[in-house]
Amino acid sequence: MVCYGICDKTLPGLLMFAYLGAVATATGDTLASEIGETYRGKPVMITNFKPARPGTDGAVSRLGEVVCIAGSVIIGVLALVLGVIDLPASGPTTYVFWMVIVVLGGFLGTNFDSLLGATFQQRGWLSNSGVNLVATMGGAFISGAAYYVLSGHVV
């Protein structure tokens, strides 16, 4: 957020959406991990969709995916309600547009976390903290890039 206040003069919103994508990823990952483990069905590995034990690095479940999206929506709604997103709106569809950007970063970032867990973490190349760091950076990049592209900066 400090960088947003200093550097966001050239492209208002880019760093703000990158920040929100990172927070949505962290929230989605935490909810998916904690609540997803309560899923009564059999989770599957994100890499090959074969059944896996609950809590296995890289395992995903329907419940985990739903709460990941819910967590990302919560971050987007809070950002709008609390005025974190301080761009001028041109109508109700603008708010939907902003929510899609935050949810997209959170959802894809969380699934990137699962992919990293199934590959790099299981091989011992990254710790859980390393996976979380790379995944939240991925969520930030996705939301920032989505804002950049969808707001008409790339033709």
Side-chain angles (χ1 to χ4, degrees), residues 11-12 15 23 26 34 63 66 70 78 89-90 113 119 123 125 128 136 138:
L11 187 60
L15 293 176
V23 173
E34 302 303 325
L63 178 60
V66 168
L78 286 173
S90 60
D113 183 283
T119 54
R123 290 185 178 103
W125 296 345
N128 186 58
T136 54

Short mmCIF file of all heavy atoms in Angstrom, two decimals, residues 11-12 15 23 26 34 63 66 70 78 89-90 113 119 123 125 128 136 138:
data_model
loop_
_atom_site.label_atom_id
_atom_site.label_comp_id
_atom_site.label_asym_id
_atom_site.label_seq_id
_atom_site.Cartn_x
_atom_site.Cartn_y
_atom_site.Cartn_z
N LEU A 11 -0.61 5.08 -13.38
CA LEU A 11 -1.70 4.19 -13.74
C LEU A 11 -2.55 3.93 -12.50
O LEU A 11 -2.38 2.93 -11.81
CB LEU A 11 -1.18 2.88 -14.32
CG LEU A 11 -2.22 1.94 -14.88
CD1 LEU A 11 -2.99 2.60 -16.01
CD2 LEU A 11 -1.59 0.66 -15.38
N PRO A 12 -3.45 4.85 -12.18
CA PRO A 12 -4.26 4.70 -10.97
C PRO A 12 -4.99 3.36 -10.94
O PRO A 12 -5.61 2.97 -11.92
CB PRO A 12 -5.25 5.86 -11.04
CG PRO A 12 -4.62 6.84 -11.97
CD PRO A 12 -3.80 6.03 -12.93
N LEU A 15 -1.67 -0.84 -8.80
CA LEU A 15 -1.09 -1.38 -7.56
C LEU A 15 -2.16 -1.70 -6.53
O LEU A 15 -2.01 -2.65 -5.75
CB LEU A 15 -0.06 -0.41 -6.99
CG LEU A 15 1.20 -0.22 -7.84
CD1 LEU A 15 2.11 0.83 -7.23
CD2 LEU A 15 1.95 -1.53 -8.00
N VAL A 23 -4.22 -10.06 -1.20
CA VAL A 23 -5.01 -10.28 0.02
C VAL A 23 -6.12 -11.31 -0.24
O VAL A 23 -6.39 -12.18 0.59
CB VAL A 23 -5.59 -8.94 0.55
CG1 VAL A 23 -6.54 -9.18 1.72
CG2 VAL A 23 -4.46 -8.02 0.98
N ALA A 26 -4.50 -14.76 -0.24
CA ALA A 26 -4.19 -15.21 1.11
C ALA A 26 -5.47 -15.62 1.86
O ALA A 26 -5.49 -16.65 2.54
CB ALA A 26 -3.45 -14.12 1.88
N GLU A 34 -8.48 -24.45 5.60
CA GLU A 34 -9.09 -24.77 6.89
C GLU A 34 -10.50 -25.36 6.75
O GLU A 34 -10.80 -26.39 7.35
CB GLU A 34 -9.13 -23.52 7.78
CG GLU A 34 -7.77 -22.92 8.05
CD GLU A 34 -6.78 -23.87 8.67
OE1 GLU A 34 -7.19 -24.73 9.49
OE2 GLU A 34 -5.58 -23.77 8.34
N LEU A 63 -15.81 -27.94 -1.80
CA LEU A 63 -16.04 -27.00 -0.71
C LEU A 63 -14.90 -25.99 -0.61
O LEU A 63 -15.13 -24.80 -0.44
CB LEU A 63 -16.19 -27.75 0.63
CG LEU A 63 -16.39 -26.88 1.86
CD1 LEU A 63 -17.65 -26.04 1.74
CD2 LEU A 63 -16.43 -27.76 3.11
N VAL A 66 -15.28 -23.40 -3.33
CA VAL A 66 -16.39 -22.47 -3.07
C VAL A 66 -15.99 -21.45 -2.01
O VAL A 66 -16.24 -20.25 -2.18
CB VAL A 66 -17.67 -23.25 -2.65
CG1 VAL A 66 -18.73 -22.31 -2.10
CG2 VAL A 66 -18.22 -24.05 -3.82
N ALA A 70 -15.66 -17.41 -2.08
CA ALA A 70 -16.36 -16.61 -1.08
C ALA A 70 -15.40 -15.66 -0.37
O ALA A 70 -15.71 -14.48 -0.15
CB ALA A 70 -17.07 -17.51 -0.07
N LEU A 78 -15.43 -5.78 0.95
CA LEU A 78 -14.85 -4.92 1.99
C LEU A 78 -14.06 -3.76 1.37
O LEU A 78 -14.12 -2.64 1.87
CB LEU A 78 -13.96 -5.73 2.93
CG LEU A 78 -14.68 -6.63 3.92
CD1 LEU A 78 -13.68 -7.51 4.67
CD2 LEU A 78 -15.52 -5.82 4.88
N ALA A 89 -16.25 5.73 -10.15
CA ALA A 89 -17.10 4.72 -10.81
C ALA A 89 -17.93 5.39 -11.88
O ALA A 89 -18.40 6.51 -11.73
CB ALA A 89 -18.00 4.06 -9.78
N SER A 90 -18.13 4.66 -12.99
CA SER A 90 -18.94 5.20 -14.07
C SER A 90 -20.31 4.52 -14.14
O SER A 90 -21.01 4.66 -15.11
CB SER A 90 -18.21 5.04 -15.40
OG SER A 90 -17.96 3.68 -15.66
N ASP A 113 -1.47 -21.67 -5.63
CA ASP A 113 -0.93 -22.16 -4.36
C ASP A 113 -1.05 -23.68 -4.29
O ASP A 113 -0.09 -24.37 -3.91
CB ASP A 113 -1.68 -21.51 -3.20
CG ASP A 113 -1.14 -21.91 -1.84
OD1 ASP A 113 -1.44 -23.05 -1.40
OD2 ASP A 113 -0.45 -21.10 -1.21
N THR A 119 3.44 -29.70 -6.37
CA THR A 119 4.69 -29.93 -7.12
C THR A 119 5.91 -29.53 -6.30
O THR A 119 6.61 -30.39 -5.77
CB THR A 119 4.64 -29.17 -8.46
OG1 THR A 119 4.37 -27.78 -8.22
CG2 THR A 119 3.57 -29.73 -9.39
N ARG A 123 7.99 -31.91 -3.33
CA ARG A 123 9.37 -32.33 -3.66
C ARG A 123 10.39 -31.72 -2.70
O ARG A 123 11.58 -31.99 -2.82
CB ARG A 123 9.69 -31.91 -5.09
CG ARG A 123 8.93 -32.71 -6.12
CD ARG A 123 9.37 -32.36 -7.54
NE ARG A 123 8.67 -33.16 -8.50
CZ ARG A 123 7.66 -32.75 -9.24
NH1 ARG A 123 7.23 -31.50 -9.14
NH2 ARG A 123 7.09 -33.56 -10.11
N TRP A 125 11.15 -28.49 -2.56
CA TRP A 125 11.83 -27.35 -3.18
C TRP A 125 11.36 -26.03 -2.58
O TRP A 125 12.06 -25.02 -2.64
CB TRP A 125 11.60 -27.33 -4.68
CG TRP A 125 12.20 -28.51 -5.40
CD1 TRP A 125 13.11 -29.40 -4.91
CD2 TRP A 125 11.92 -28.93 -6.73
NE1 TRP A 125 13.41 -30.36 -5.83
CE2 TRP A 125 12.68 -30.08 -6.98
CE3 TRP A 125 11.09 -28.46 -7.73
CZ2 TRP A 125 12.66 -30.76 -8.18
CZ3 TRP A 125 11.06 -29.13 -8.94
CH2 TRP A 125 11.84 -30.26 -9.15
N ASN A 128 6.06 -24.37 3.00
CA ASN A 128 4.71 -23.83 2.95
C ASN A 128 4.73 -22.31 2.89
O ASN A 128 3.96 -21.69 2.15
CB ASN A 128 3.89 -24.31 4.16
CG ASN A 128 2.44 -23.89 4.04
OD1 ASN A 128 1.77 -24.24 3.08
ND2 ASN A 128 1.97 -23.14 5.02
N THR A 136 0.77 -15.66 -3.35
CA THR A 136 0.18 -14.33 -3.15
C THR A 136 0.76 -13.34 -4.15
O THR A 136 0.05 -12.45 -4.63
CB THR A 136 0.37 -13.81 -1.71
OG1 THR A 136 1.74 -13.86 -1.36
CG2 THR A 136 -0.45 -14.60 -0.72
N GLY A 138 1.58 -14.24 -7.13
CA GLY A 138 0.85 -14.61 -8.33
C GLY A 138 -0.54 -14.00 -8.37
O GLY A 138 -0.97 -13.48 -9.40
#
